[in-house]
Amino acid sequence: MGIVSELYKAKQRDFSERLREMTDPRVVYVTDLVSCSYKRVMRLQFPLLSFRFEPSLVLGDLVHAGLGSLLASRGWETEVPIERKYIIDGEEYILKGRIDLLKRNDDGKPHTIVEIKTSRELPENSPREHHIMQLRIYMELTGAKRGYLLYVTPDRLVEFEVEPSSVDVEALLRETIYNLRAPRYDWECRYCSYRKICPFARLGRHS
Ligand code: SF4
């Protein structure tokens, strides 16, 4: 079996293992809170459409894994799962996320969080608003006082410190659960796996 085929099967297995969780209507991911609320609706209905196997995603995985392994000996934890329960209008929801890099104080409390973003080039208006929001949600959930967004591109390696700021996680959960932000940003639809079957897609006249 070739290595690309093995990689594909490994990604497919990971995806299958997450399928039950991905289609649980009580589960909301931190990334759901900072993106189009209808993507979650579509994921619940058409989960297989969200499987993607592309070089840019494999590169992103490699960067995350590589940075994690380089920094592990310097006290950084990688891919740290986080989970909180919320009751919204009498229904229980589980907010789930995964922190790219986390460092703790001597007392074990989270101190610094890093979110890693990979792309072909440094996005304009970096750091991006939804990336800042995602990091601030993790800071709010963990109590970490310092947060950094690390952008990795083929020719840039740039970090931005993000000040902590309180985030109304319950309000974001409501927006997501009740589908009040579809899309959250106009540009989202162009990159969305569901755009061809989505009634809210904003693709422009020639798309
Ligand atoms: S196509 Fe646009 S509105 Fe529809 S799910 Fe995707 S991002 Fe949301």
Side-chain angles (χ1 to χ4, degrees), residues 36-43 45-46 49 179 181-183 189 192-204:
C36 167
S37 52
Y38 202 63
K39 278 187 187 169
R40 177 173 168 273
V41 178
M42 294 298 258
R43 183 181 70 235
Q45 285 184 57
F46 308 102
L49 286 182
N179 186 31
R181 298 295 298 271
C189 301
C192 178
S193 316
Y194 310 111
R195 65 188 180 278
K196 292 188 179 167
I197 55 169
C198 173
F200 301 112
R202 292 185 197 165
L203 297 171

Side-chain angles (χ1 to χ4, degrees), residues 175-195:
E175 282 181 359
T176 304
I177 292 159
Y178 296 122
N179 186 31
L180 304 178
R181 298 295 298 271
R184 187 171 291 271
Y185 301 101
D186 278 347
W187 53 262
E188 276 182 288
C189 301
R190 288 201 303 278
Y191 307 100
C192 178
S193 316
Y194 310 111
R195 65 188 180 278

